[in-house]
Amino acid sequence: MPHGLHPAPSDLKIDLKTLPVLCLDDEVLVAIDMAEILAERGFSDVSTAFTLRSAGELLDRKPIRLAILDVNLGHGETSFEIARRIEEAGGTVVFASGYGMSQLPEEFHGNTILSKPIHENALTAALDRLG
Amino acid sequence: MDGTESGQAAGSRGEGVIVGVGASAGGLEAFQDLFSRLQVNHRIAMVLVQHLDPDHESLLQDLLRKRTETPVHTIHQDMAVEPGNIYLIPPGRALTIENGVLKLASFESPRGQRRPIDVFFESLGRDRGDRAVGIVLSGTGSDGAEGIKALKAAGGLVFAQDPVQSRYDGMPKSAIATGAVDLILRTEEMVDALADFFDRKSGLEPAIESDREFIDTVFKHVRYHTGHDFTHYKHSTLMRRLSLRMSVLGIASPADYVKTLIRDRDEARRLIHDVLINVTGFFRDPEAWDKLRTTVLPQILKGRGHDEEVRIWVPGCSSGQEAYTLAMLLSEELSRTSAHPQVVIFGTDIDEHALAQARRGLYPASAVDEIPAAYLQEYFISTPEGYEVGKRLRNMVRFSYQSVIKDPPFSKLDLVSCRNLTIYFEPKLQKVAANVFHYALNPGGFLMLGLSENPTGVSDRFEDFDGPTRIFRRNSELSRPLDLPLGRLSQTQPRMGSEMAPALSGNGPRAQVERAILEAHVPPYVVLSPSNAVSYAAPGAEDYLRVPSGDQRYDLVSLAIDPLVAPVRRLLAHQDSAVQSPVSAEVTIEIQGAPRKILLTAKRLASGEKYMLFETLGPGDPDALMLTASAARDDAYVRELENELDDARQTIRSTVEELETSNEELKSSNEEMMSMNEELQSSNEELSTINEELQTNIAQLNAVNGDLAGFLESTGLATVFLDDALNLRRFTPRAQDYFRFVEADLGRPLEDIAALIPAEELIESCRSALLAGELDEIELATLDGTRNLIARIAPSRQETGTLQGVVFTLVDVTDLRRYASEAEAAREEAQRRMIEVEELYGASPIGMALFDLEHRFRRVNQTLADLDGLPAKAHVGARVEMLFPNAPAEIVAALDQVAETGEAVIGMEVVGSSPVFPGEDRAWVVDFYPLAGDGGVAAIGCNVRDITEQRETEDQLRRIMLELQHRVKNMLANVKALINRAKRDRRDPKLVLRTLSDRIDSMARTHALLTDGNWQSTRITDLLRPELHDVYGEEAISFHGPELRLNARASLAIGLTVHELATNAAKYGALSPEGEHLAIRWMRVDEGDGDLLRLVWTETCKGEIVAPDGNGFGTTLIHAMIEGTLEGRIAFDWHANGLTCTIEMPYDNATRIAPSPI
């Protein structure tokens, strides 16, 4: 649970769906698709990013509370730095990876990992657990 | 004697005859000659007894086989003697024969005293009787002499080699000296003599057996010549002797034998000798002598004082052994008693020859075997010829001529020992003998007979003293008068008158002339026997003889008329002293009333007979007559005595002088003998030395021969030895593969022997090798052509260098040739393979090497040399750790492991550096495999492959796979996203599906282009054309811009953007039915905002177009692509007749090609 948020249990769900969410994937179609799924689930503030730079710029502007981050972003880039920034700011990070946990540094072993390609149900279940 | 009846029925040609041949030094030559003359298929069995060195294997069998066709056998135990064979005594064994079976035994006596010939001859006589023959051949010493006597006594035939022919005459001479030899022959005569003898004898025996008249005639002549009457001797014995004599003499008809008897006085003696020959010996039948010594002699000697005499008689004493045996026993007994009576032993016989031997008292070593050693030393003197009886025995024994049955016996005897004499007598004569012994012995005197004797008449007058040893005691009856004249009357009855002239018997004209001359011109004479008995009186002699009254004695002294008694005695006494010249005496006597002067002449002949001649010199002087005949008896008698005394003194003096002379002569002879003896001793020693040397030589030769024989047997070579006439001398068993050799071929010319090879060629080569004295070698093929041979021909040489023959060896080279050609083929094959291996080595892309077990390179191919950077030649011989000090240790370890276990090490990966790639790590795969040698690992093979590049390729491939996986996953994720997008689309599902399909197609095309460009870049025109020209045609669409390559990200983004724009244009714009033209331009610009790629999409339409809803998914997608991924900008400018879409992005973002992850 992110710091500084203490909503009443009765309206917690509402609060969560309104929080800013980030879908980061270098595959444009995949990021958009994920964002649309979240939107369909009732998330009202879903952003997409396709590069590290654009994701970083987004974080500068907006306090992301929940992020679904593709681990490999092409050209050898990874999303771990972004993940740290989000968690340091009290956000929650879910990783999406085609390679399982082995790619993750130890600090993220407690995080939820979704296997790519992401199945809708798996995403929904992960979000439900967060909720 | 028990065997004497055997063999009678045997046929001619020597059936059943066994010939014992005794030989020693110098005998080889003799019996080789003897045996070589045996006829083929003869039926004679010969047993050769030799003095063989017990330590040497005899070569005799082999030697003899070459000389005779007769099978030759070395005797083994219990070998039965078969006719027509030769048997050889083995070394070191004593041989006897029993019932025709040969028995071997160990010698009881030490070497040097063994007498195998005697031992065998004695047993042969016992076993075969008159079918036994003994032959004594060359040899030193006297072995065989005793044996032939026994053999002879058993009825056998005895030959001795002529001493002149004998190389060493000791044995033949000893044999001849026994008198037992029937014929003295040269070896070449013996076989014929044998055959003739048995042929004749077998025909003779039945003939003379039945001819009573003949036998009587023989007896008569024998009696006449010798005074011996055999009438009452056992006929069977006599017959055999008679037939033997006739056979020996080659006389076939009885009449001829009678003639011989008459003509040759010696023949009668010879016959008697044969009859009388007796086996005697010292201590013969020891148990009897033992008994005598322990029981009889003590009784005889008991109570006899110094002045008393012990008298013993040994009638038929032959050569005296028995008499001397008694003397020894008595001497021993006397030495134990205090009293020493005089002992006289009389030995008598009618065989003068035997008596002479007895008196000589010299016995060969063979005869003294039975004498206990202590006695021998005590009573005998050892001499070179044997043993001589010593003085102590000589003093006790007297030998004389006496016939038991015709001469007066001795009297007052204590013991008569008469052994094996009466067995020759018929019962009548035996009875006479018993009477004689009874007469001669004192009452209680002892009689000792032979063990098997039981003469008639003994039991009447004698008591058994000891039954088993045939010792008797005379009973105390008075003796009957002896009826001795049995022989004498018939023999010495003087035969007066001219009709009694047997010496001149026969009616030939010459005999008549002789008789007439004798009667007319020779003075009257008488013939005297050796004992002076008158045996014949010539006409006119009766004037000087008379028959006195009283007991008749027939000696001349008794028969002479009174006046002649003294001179006759004197003359005969002279003659007894063995002076051979006639002696004479002149006397005047009154004959028929008138004085007559006569000359008496006496002469002793060589035969022992004498004659006395009564020669009338004229009318005698009456005065002289007065003196001798009618003068006062006393005066005459005194004068006569004085004359006799004078004569006696003269005789004594001359005798003494003679004796002294003889003595001197004997002394000097003795000295000569002594010195000769010494010379002989030294000669003997030298001979011994030479003998030893020879023995050594022979032993060496035997060893060499043995080696040679073994070598020849073991070589398996076909070797043939020829002599210098190319006769076969020896061959190895393998030579029979090529020649039809049999043992009998030895000595035959090689060319006469059937061969399986072309022998003529070989023989020719042998001949030339022999001539040239040089080695030769020729090639041959067997006659059937199946085998190839090489014959090596070498002349063989004696030590002196002279050629003695030729040796050739046949070597079968068929196999050798085949092997050689096989080996050649194998070598070529190996070479071919070697070349293959070399080529393989050279061509192999794999580095190959061969190591020995010390890690040294033996072979290296170029590939390997290229791998490690050293010339191939530099490797060979160098140890791997020396050549490559930095080589990883596991290489050496692997070599050792392979050498140790024999198992290959395959696929060992090694990392290291090579000068070929300086500063680079290289990876190799190395195989080590063992090359088997005999019984282990001989070498180690090695393969090396450089896998550095392969490794890199693999790594890349792995990366490619990862990238591929990534891309495929991305692709699928994209497709899935598009499908999710389609699911949300609420439009007509057909449209939705078509849109989806088009988008996927577009993506697929872009992917295809990227894949063609190795996922690096695409040409912009390549990207546009399939999206536009290929779908909508070229007329309506124009491109304009520099050719450039877009990177992967830009390709995907621009490809999708163009697809969405074109989709919209087809629906609403330039590519719709109302559309007019689509122009696409791109350019690189820098207008102060950095280096940009600008792409301008311009649609023009015929009519007015309506701007579509800008919030559709296509728009979202375009924005996301251009802005989100390329950091670009996109601007739509709708106007009345069209649309201008301007897309800008940093040039680098669109074109900079990122390093490929693969």
Side-chain angles (χ1 to χ4, degrees), chain B residues 138-160:
Chain B
S138 167
T140 56
S142 60
D143 193 11
E146 290 299 305
I148 57 162
K149 274 164 74 178
L151 194 141
K152 179 79 190 164
L157 176 70
V158 178
F159 293 168

Side-chain angles (χ1 to χ4, degrees), chain A residues 39-51:
Chain A
E40 281 171 1
R41 290 289 182 277
F43 286 87
S44 53
D45 185 2
V46 180
S47 304
T48 57
F50 313 112
T51 62

Side-chain angles (χ1 to χ4, degrees), chain B residues 826-934:
Chain B
R827 195 186 65 77
E828 280 170 11
E829 173 69 16
Q831 199 168 22
R832 198 173 52 72
R833 286 192 188 161
M834 197 66 210
I835 291 168
E836 282 173 10
V837 169
E838 290 286 351
E839 281 172 357
L840 195 63
Y841 254 67
S844 172
I846 295 172
M848 297 173 89
L850 192 65
F851 291 99
D852 65 17
L853 299 182
E854 273 76 49
H855 315 151
R856 276 189 289 266
F857 285 96
R858 273 162 52 174
R859 177 186 287 274
V860 167
N861 72 348
Q862 189 57 44
T863 312
L864 186 76
D866 291 345
L867 285 178
D868 65 30
L870 287 175
K873 281 183 185 170
H875 290 77
V876 177
R879 293 166 69 108
V880 65
E881 55 265 51
M882 303 300 286
L883 206 58
F884 304 109
N886 298 325
E890 60 252 47
I891 289 180
V892 173
L895 281 171
D896 289 340
Q897 186 191 331
V898 173
E900 212 169 282
T901 63
E903 282 168 19
V905 172
I906 300 294
M908 190 173 86
E909 292 190 19
V910 176
V911 178
S913 59
S914 160
V916 183
F917 303 97
E920 257 185 69
D921 267 352
R922 303 294 295 181
W924 299 282
V925 170
V926 187
D927 301 332
F928 293 106
Y929 52 93
L931 295 178
D934 25 297

Side-chain angles (χ1 to χ4, degrees), chain B residues 471-549:
Chain B
I471 298 176
F472 301 87
R473 286 194 91 158
R474 181 195 187 280
N475 63 18
S476 49
E477 282 177 26
L478 282 176
S479 291
R480 296 177 195 168
L482 286 180
D483 190 15
L484 279 181
L486 184 70
R488 167 174 289 204
L489 281 178
S490 57
Q491 181 226 338
T492 54
Q493 196 173 31
R495 279 152 291 194
M496 309 276 183
S498 60
E499 76 282 4
M500 299 295 288
L504 299 172
S505 62
N507 294 311
R510 189 160 160 215
Q512 287 177 8
V513 168
E514 282 174 353
R515 196 179 309 147
I517 291 170
L518 278 176
E519 284 174 10
H521 303 289
V522 174
Y525 63 91
V526 292
V527 178
L528 305 178
S529 75
S531 56
N532 294 339
V534 176
S535 61
Y536 175 70
E542 60 268 28
D543 287 355
Y544 308 99
L545 302 175
R546 68 179 172 99
V547 177
S549 58

Side-chain angles (χ1 to χ4, degrees), chain A residues 27 33 36 40 98 118, chain B residues 969 974 976 980-981 984:
Chain A
E27 292 296 329
D33 184 40
E36 285 190 348
E40 281 171 1
I118 298 168
Chain B
K969 279 187 173 176
N974 281 327
K976 192 160 184 270
N980 282 345
R981 171 72 241 162
R984 288 180 207 104

Side-chain angles (χ1 to χ4, degrees), chain B residues 162 496 530 558 695 704 845 1141:
Chain B
D162 188 345
M496 309 276 183
S558 308
Q695 288 290 356
V704 170
C1141 177

